Structure formats: C-alpha cells, structure tokens
C-alpha cells in the first residue's frame, strides 16, 4: 500500500475528490472498483482533480483518468511521483579497444555474447544506426519477451546511444554505452535511464534493482567472452 503524509494515497485521492470535485464519499465506499465516471465525476471534476494532483505531487494524470478507479488513480500517482529509474554499471575488459568495440557492437551476434537473448533480428541499418528486434529466453512463466530497439554508434567518441522503439512496460528507456581505455584494458560502462508505465508489473525502484542485478551478470559474461576471444580461445 502506498502511503504519503502518514495515510494511504487512496485515502488522499478520495479526500481530494470529496473536497474539490463533489464526490459522494458513501457511494465511493460502496463501490471501490467503480471508475470515476461511474461515480459521477464529469470533465470539470476531473480537471479539478488534475490541478490538485499536479500541485501536490507534480504529477500529470491522463485525460482518460475518468475510466480509472480511485485505487488505480492512486497507483498512477504513486508511480509517476517516483524519481525516474537510473542505473550505471561498468566493467574493465582486458582486451584491446578495437576488439571490445567490434564484439560488443556486433548486434547480429549478441546471442553469442549475452546469455539472456534467444534471438536477434536486424530490421534496418543506416550508417552507424541499426534497428533490431531482441527476443529473450522464456522466463519462469514461459513468456519470451521481445521488443524493438535502435542504437547509434559513434566510434570517434567511443560511445553508443540507444533507445527502445517498442517500449512495452516502459514509458521510455534510453541507454548510453561508454568505452574508456585504462591501464588494465577497456572500461565499458552502461547507463540506463527509464520510467515504468503505470500498468507495468514493477515500479521504477523495482526495475532499477532488476536492471542492476542483471547488468552485473551480463557484464561478467561479456568480459569473460571478449577476453577469451583476445586470448585466441574462439574464432573471433
């Protein structure tokens, strides 16, 4: 349960609707799953709700809020009031920069580099920009998640910027890869900035924890595979 100012956020939203929008508190209590429209909230009432929510939490609620129940509005506000997700993870790979760059930017062969991807489909190339579909191995529920991303490499700056085209549960997902030569090899850094949709199964904090945990696993795998290629352990 989301709590702010010492009380559940659902209670705060209900209080706003009663005080500012003419909601019948008893009707709302009798039908907690009813939409705001079903509770008699018209467009003017929704505008007033939007104004109060924006002032109190700095959150914009959508025009379709009338189709949401009070708990759903509270959940939406709670998610959007969170700070956006941000992660930064890096690893030093003991291999020359040209090899690290080539292997980690050969998107078509990412199934050989990452353990999480079952398939990669290149959809379009335009110079240093590539659009592609990634499909993961099925999760514990048998679901194989898939989405389209686009990335643009800048070899001179030793960086890559990418974003999800099909955002799925994300409001947005932006990824920045950096490569820095160090005495021990090449430091590859992943920075991810994102926000989850209100309907997503996890919030920004939960996805941050997931991405941090998975990034560390995948960076270790990539380090091992690139270093093995550098040592002549495979056909790269």
């Amino acid at each position: 349960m989301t709590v702010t100012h010492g009380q559940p956020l659902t209670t705060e939203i209900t209080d706003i609707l009663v005080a500012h929008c003419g909601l019948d508190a008893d009707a709302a209590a009798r039908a907690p799953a009813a939409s705001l429209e079903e509770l008699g909230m018209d467009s003017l009432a929704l505008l007033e709700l939007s104004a109060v929510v924006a002032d109190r939490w700095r959150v914009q609620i959508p025009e379709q809020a009338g189709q949401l129940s009070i708990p759903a509005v509270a959940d939406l506000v709670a998610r959007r009031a969170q700070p956006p997700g941000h992660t930064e993870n890096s690893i030093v790979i003991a291999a020359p920069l040209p090899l690290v760059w080539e292997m980690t930017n050969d998107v078509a062969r990412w199934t050989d580099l990452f353990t999480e991807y079952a398939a990669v489909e290149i959809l379009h190339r335009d110079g240093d920009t590539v659009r592609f579909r990634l499909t993961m191995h099925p999760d514990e529920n048998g679901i194989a998640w898939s989405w389209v991303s686009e990335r643009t490499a800048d070899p001179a700056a030793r960086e890559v910027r990418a974003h999800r085209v099909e955002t799925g549960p994300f409001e947005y997902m932006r990824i920045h890869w950096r490569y820095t030569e160090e005495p021990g090899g090449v430091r590859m850094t992943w920075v991810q900035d994102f926000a989850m949709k209100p309907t997503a199964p996890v919030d920004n904090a939960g996805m941050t924890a997931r991405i941090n945990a998975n990034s560390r696993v995948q960076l270790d795998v990539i380090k091992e595979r690139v270093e093995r290629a550098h040592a002549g352990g495979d056909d790269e």
Side-chain angles (χ1 to χ4, degrees):
M1 179 184 296
T2 301
V3 177
T4 61
H5 304 106
Q7 62 180 329
L9 186 54
T10 299
T11 301
E12 290 203 52
I13 298 297
T14 302
D15 290 346
I16 291 169
L17 288 165
V18 171
H20 299 273
C21 307
L23 174 69
D24 183 334
D26 292 335
R30 289 192 300 269
S35 70
L36 297 184
E37 290 178 350
E38 292 169 339
L39 292 172
M41 298 295 94
D42 59 16
S43 58
L44 290 177
L46 295 176
L47 283 174
E48 184 64 25
L49 173 64
S50 297
V52 177
V53 167
D55 180 66
R56 186 173 300 185
W57 289 288
R58 302 293 187 268
V59 169
Q60 299 294 323
I61 61 176
E63 295 179 359
Q64 300 82 3
Q67 301 169 17
L68 302 177
S69 66
I70 294 175
V73 171
D75 184 58
L76 183 152
V77 171
R79 288 174 180 266
R80 294 192 174 181
Q82 295 178 357
H86 174 82
T87 65
E88 181 167 340
N89 294 276
S90 69
I91 200 165
V92 175
I93 302 173
L97 176 60
L99 178 62
V100 176
W101 178 271
E102 178 185 357
M103 289 187 65
T104 58
N105 286 290
D106 187 357
V107 177
R109 299 191 63 183
W110 271 8
T111 53
D112 298 329
L113 192 64
F114 294 79
T115 61
E116 59 186 336
Y117 300 136
V120 180
E121 179 186 1
I122 304 300
L123 303 176
H124 180 72
R125 288 187 185 273
D126 182 8
D128 290 320
T129 298
V130 58
R131 180 171 291 201
F132 55 98
R133 174 172 293 281
L134 285 173
T135 302
M136 301 185 74
H137 293 288
D139 62 16
E140 63 275 10
N141 298 314
I143 300 174
W145 297 98
S146 180
W147 65 91
V148 172
S149 289
E150 185 173 283
R151 57 192 273 120
T152 299
D154 185 341
R158 300 175 180 176
E159 65 178 19
V160 181
R161 295 190 180 273
H163 67 278
R164 283 198 182 201
V165 176
E166 294 179 357
T167 56
F170 295 91
E171 291 275 9
Y172 63 88
M173 164 61 84
R174 296 189 289 267
I175 307 173
H176 182 200
W177 292 32
R178 300 194 305 265
Y179 299 78
T180 308
E181 289 183 288
E182 297 186 357
V186 176
R187 180 175 296 279
M188 183 172 67
T189 302
W190 294 344
V191 177
Q192 300 186 62
D193 291 288
F194 59 91
M196 306 307 296
K197 291 179 179 176
T199 54
V202 295
D203 59 12
N204 293 344
M207 183 56 72
T208 296
R210 289 190 182 190
I211 290 176
N212 275 329
N214 186 62
S215 292
R216 294 173 190 129
V217 171
Q218 295 304 316
L219 283 168
D220 284 341
V221 170
I222 291 171
K223 172 182 171 68
E224 187 276 329
R225 292 181 175 180
V226 175
E227 289 180 351
R228 175 155 44 90
H230 176 51
D234 59 26
D235 296 330
E236 293 293 342

